[in-house]
Amino acid sequence: MDTASPTKVALTRVPVPGTGAEDVLVGPDGRVWTGTADGAIIVVTPDGRRSERVVETGGRPLGLEWLPDGRLLVCDAVRGLLAVAVDGSGGIEELVTHVDGAAMLFTNNAAVAADGTVWFSDSSRRWGIDDWKSDLVQHTRSGRLLRRDVDGTVTTVLDGVAFANGVALSRDESMVLVAELSLRRIRRVGLIGGRPTAGHVVGEVGGAVEPPQDQVLVPELPGYPDNISRGSDGLIWSAIASPPDPVLGLLQRGPQRLRDLALRLPEALKPSPQRTVRVTAHDDEGRLVHDLSADATQWHMATGVREHDGRVWLGSLVEPAIAYLDVPR
């Protein structure tokens, strides 16, 4: 991890009609899309002055991406992977709700290849979004990176991921990346012809098998990564939701009985995110290019990140607003 202090930049807060605008996505026309805790998909004008509730998923939308046919891909933590029409028709297609016969509990983030293949994360097989802290405390390592082919076939690419979160593809689609939140790193899977290369570690649920060094793009981030995305600048941007928590680290390294005890603590005593704003950007070789922070007095806990033409849009799991900052030139 680069130990240099982050560059401080100004942050602009943009209110939206709903709480928990977790991810952000910029459309071809410059409008910014997000989803809130009440299930709404909201679009905001490029200047941030007007917003509109477009459709409701009936669940909890998290990660957002565009599909080749113009529909919005929604990682709905409750309903699964959805394709949502944003043309006013309100049509919603369920793309993936179950994997290997079991319902998905925590669909989180995705990346879409040029041919329509969807790479997406399932954060936990034990806990849903309302109990996300419990998965961190228990350190279940039950997350997955999954692939949905254009014919609808779903394959597990990585298993045993410690809270699988953000997903992104390199510019040339020669690798897919997944943020492993609990271990503060970004893992990579090399691709040839859109398929994982031979020898990548699949792992198993709850397994502690460490991937080879060449399967970790960024081994140590300055905090817990949430969503990641490839920006218009070609870099991989990471939303750092919170800096490292020593207590959480102690629990993860401790015996199971200690984690079980921590799980029974009142919510106020469990490890919680600190009030910060931070994002990083790495190139496809894992080199740090940007490390930016901002004042968190009016807005905090960046969980979604999207760089577009030098402006970095941010989403938050807890705020009734999105925000943006500009990359220093």
Side-chain angles (χ1 to χ4, degrees), residues 79-133:
R79 295 190 59 185
L81 199 65
L82 310 176
V84 178
V86 293
D87 58 2
S89 66
I92 298 177
E93 180 186 357
E94 293 182 337
L95 299 180
V96 183
T97 60
H98 292 68
V99 176
D100 298 330
M104 296 181 65
L105 296 180
F106 202 156
T107 315
N108 198 320
N109 201 240
V112 181
D115 66 356
T117 299
V118 178
W119 304 84
F120 63 107
S121 62
D122 182 18
S123 292
S124 174
R125 296 191 197 182
R126 311 275 176 80
W127 306 93
I129 187 170
D130 293 334
D131 296 301
W132 62 269
K133 286 185 184 180

Side-chain angles (χ1 to χ4, degrees), residues 22 33-34 46 67 111 160 185 240 276 279 296 304 327:
E22 197 266 352
W33 297 77
T34 189
L67 290 167
R185 65 187 180 188
I240 307 299
T276 58
V279 295
V327 179

Side-chain angles (χ1 to χ4, degrees), residues 41-187:
I41 301 296
I42 295 167
V43 63
V44 181
T45 55
D47 59 11
R49 294 181 179 179
R50 297 187 306 278
S51 61
E52 175 188 357
R53 295 168 70 97
V54 177
V55 65
E56 295 186 4
T57 69
R60 202 325 179 184
L62 296 178
L64 306 175
E65 295 292 333
W66 293 113
L67 290 167
D69 63 8
R71 289 184 296 173
L72 190 66
L73 180 74
V74 177
C75 295
D76 192 296
V78 177
R79 295 190 59 185
L81 199 65
L82 310 176
V84 178
V86 293
D87 58 2
S89 66
I92 298 177
E93 180 186 357
E94 293 182 337
L95 299 180
V96 183
T97 60
H98 292 68
V99 176
D100 298 330
M104 296 181 65
L105 296 180
F106 202 156
T107 315
N108 198 320
N109 201 240
V112 181
D115 66 356
T117 299
V118 178
W119 304 84
F120 63 107
S121 62
D122 182 18
S123 292
S124 174
R125 296 191 197 182
R126 311 275 176 80
W127 306 93
I129 187 170
D130 293 334
D131 296 301
W132 62 269
K133 286 185 184 180
S134 297
D135 192 88
L136 294 184
V137 169
Q138 286 280 288
H139 199 36
T140 68
R141 300 186 74 141
S142 62
R144 295 175 287 183
L145 173 66
L146 304 159
R147 184 186 75 239
R148 181 189 185 273
D149 294 334
V150 292
D151 64 2
T153 302
V154 177
T155 306
T156 299
V157 180
L158 289 177
D159 212 335
V161 183
F163 205 106
N165 210 310
V167 181
L169 286 159
S170 59
R171 187 194 294 270
D172 62 2
E173 299 190 3
S174 65
M175 65 178 174
V176 60
L177 309 169
V178 60
E180 197 165 23
L181 184 147
S182 287
L183 297 177
R184 296 193 291 115
R185 65 187 180 188
I186 298 176
R187 293 177 62 173

Side-chain angles (χ1 to χ4, degrees), residues 239-262:
I240 307 299
S242 182
D245 186 316
V247 175
L248 181 59
L250 179 64
L251 289 172
Q252 291 175 344
R253 294 188 299 271
Q256 183 63 49
R257 64 179 181 277
L258 183 62
R259 297 197 290 271
D260 291 341
L261 286 172

Side-chain angles (χ1 to χ4, degrees), residues 177-179 184-188 216-218 221 228 238:
L177 309 169
V178 60
R184 296 193 291 115
R185 65 187 180 188
I186 298 176
R187 293 177 62 173
R188 68 180 295 276
V216 178
L217 182 75
V218 183
L221 287 158
I228 64 175
S238 305

